[in-house]
Amino acid sequence: MIHIKTPEEIEAMKPACRHAAQALVMIEPHIQPGITTDEINDLIHAFTIEHGAIPAPLNYHGFPKSVCTSVNHVVCHGIPGPKRLKDGDIVNVDVTSIIDGWHGDTSKTFYVGTPRVKARKVVEVARRALDVGIAAVRPGARLGDIGHAIQQYVESEKCSIVREYCGHGIGRQFHEEPQVLHYGRPGTGIELKPGMVFTIEPMVNLGKPGVKLLKDGWTVVTRDKSLSAQFEHTLAVTEDGYEILTLP
Ligand code: MF3
Ligand code: CO
Ligand code: CO
């Protein structure tokens, strides 16, 4: 069942969404060669608690940390640890905050130091992929229109879109219906209606689309070890289009 949110409920989601977006703004200057992903986790955890928010990933289905940090060929759900980032790496930081019981979910891929050509390519394609997906959101459009727009753009850039993980409805629950696939056919899937709130979060691989899950049960990597990048926003369908909720 898809929860259609009232305008008041959408307003009530904004503090959590804004907080998550502000956490990404806060962390950006810290993303430098030499920082560990544990340090990124700890900075975002502290920022979250200081603002009276709750880090949704912590203990979510047993996830051990407060934020996901996905480096280079890690596609998503990377677990922060003692590994130091080095010049030329890319790292996705995925923040989900809870305020007053409402969730806000956003992520961004950062360059560590100076990006090489391949890193720049996959990150810029992932950034645009989210933009073209968002541009397809309006009442009367269908979920397949979003997926199609993303897939056709990413493949036109000779990159690939991960199939195994998708965007999702969000609200009082971290992951609600519907599933928002980042591939598909125009005119298929459910019709978008004002009051729907969901994420779009395409994972773009520089090589082939295949992924595998590491033995830790969380970390998803590209099978071919190619670089992967991702950007995510939480947005609401409005009467005449969309509103991005995860803005700082
Ligand atoms: N934030 C991720 C998403 O965009 C989900 C992370 S689940 C966790 O849906 F348990 F790994 F935190
Ligand atoms: Co999400
Ligand atoms: Co997320």
Side-chain angles (χ1 to χ4, degrees):
M1 177 207 146
I2 299 175
H3 292 274
I4 300 289
K5 274 87 175 172
T6 64
E8 293 74 24
E9 288 174 320
I10 290 170
E11 282 305 307
M13 287 186 70
K14 286 183 181 175
C17 290
R18 189 178 308 118
H19 177 272
Q22 287 171 343
L24 293 178
V25 172
M26 179 280 292
I27 206 67
E28 178 146 27
H30 295 279
I31 309 284
Q32 299 294 340
I35 194 172
T36 68
T37 49
D38 262 338
E39 288 163 349
I40 294 171
N41 178 80
D42 294 352
L43 285 163
I44 289 182
H45 181 89
F47 181 82
T48 302
I49 299 307
E50 275 162 24
H51 289 83
I54 297 167
L58 188 59
N59 302 320
Y60 181 77
H61 295 281
F63 191 77
K65 298 282 180 163
S66 297
V67 66
C68 298
T69 52
S70 301
V71 181
N72 294 342
H73 74 298
V74 178
V75 172
C76 63
H77 305 165
I79 303 171
K83 189 181 141 89
R84 289 190 189 283
L85 298 178
K86 61 182 193 305
D87 183 64
D89 283 348
I90 57 174
V91 58
N92 174 278
V93 179
D94 190 339
V95 181
T96 311
S97 303
I98 308 171
I99 295 179
D100 294 333
W102 296 100
H103 292 70
D105 188 7
T106 184
S107 85
K108 190 172 167 180
T109 300
F110 298 95
Y111 298 123
V112 182
T114 308
R116 312 296 187 257
V117 171
K118 286 178 176 178
R120 205 181 276 281
K121 169 79 181 180
V122 72
V123 169
E124 294 315 316
V125 172
R127 196 191 312 276
R128 277 287 307 285
L130 174 56
D131 292 343
V132 305
I134 291 173
V137 176
R138 62 192 150 71
R142 292 178 180 272
L143 279 178
D145 298 333
I146 300 173
H148 176 74
I150 294 170
Q151 181 181 18
Q152 105 78 35
Y153 166 67
V154 169
E155 292 178 354
S156 79
E157 291 289 345
K158 306 282 179 240
C159 292
S160 63
I161 195 79
V162 171
R163 308 291 204 273
E164 286 84 350
Y165 300 88
C166 57
H168 49 91
I170 182 168
R172 293 218 171 261
Q173 305 295 323
F174 195 160
H175 295 104
E176 300 182 356
E177 286 178 41
Q179 296 197 67
V180 180
L181 303 183
H182 304 117
Y183 60 94
R185 301 197 158 280
T188 65
I190 59 144
E191 188 181 323
L192 304 184
K193 297 202 161 61
M196 287 181 181
V197 179
F198 53 80
T199 73
I200 302 179
E201 48 182 299
M203 283 140 273
V204 173
N205 297 350
L206 197 57
K208 295 201 169 74
V211 300
K212 71 177 185 198
L213 181 64
L214 297 189
K215 291 200 178 75
D216 62 21
W218 284 104
T219 310
V220 178
V221 298
T222 55
R223 274 194 175 274
D224 64 6
K225 301 270 173 58
S226 68
L227 292 174
S228 188
Q230 179 181 28
F231 289 80
E232 172 176 28
H233 272 309
T234 298
L235 51 133
V237 182
T238 61
E239 295 295 333
D240 55 5
Y242 61 85
E243 181 178 5
I244 299 174
L245 302 181
T246 38
L247 295 177

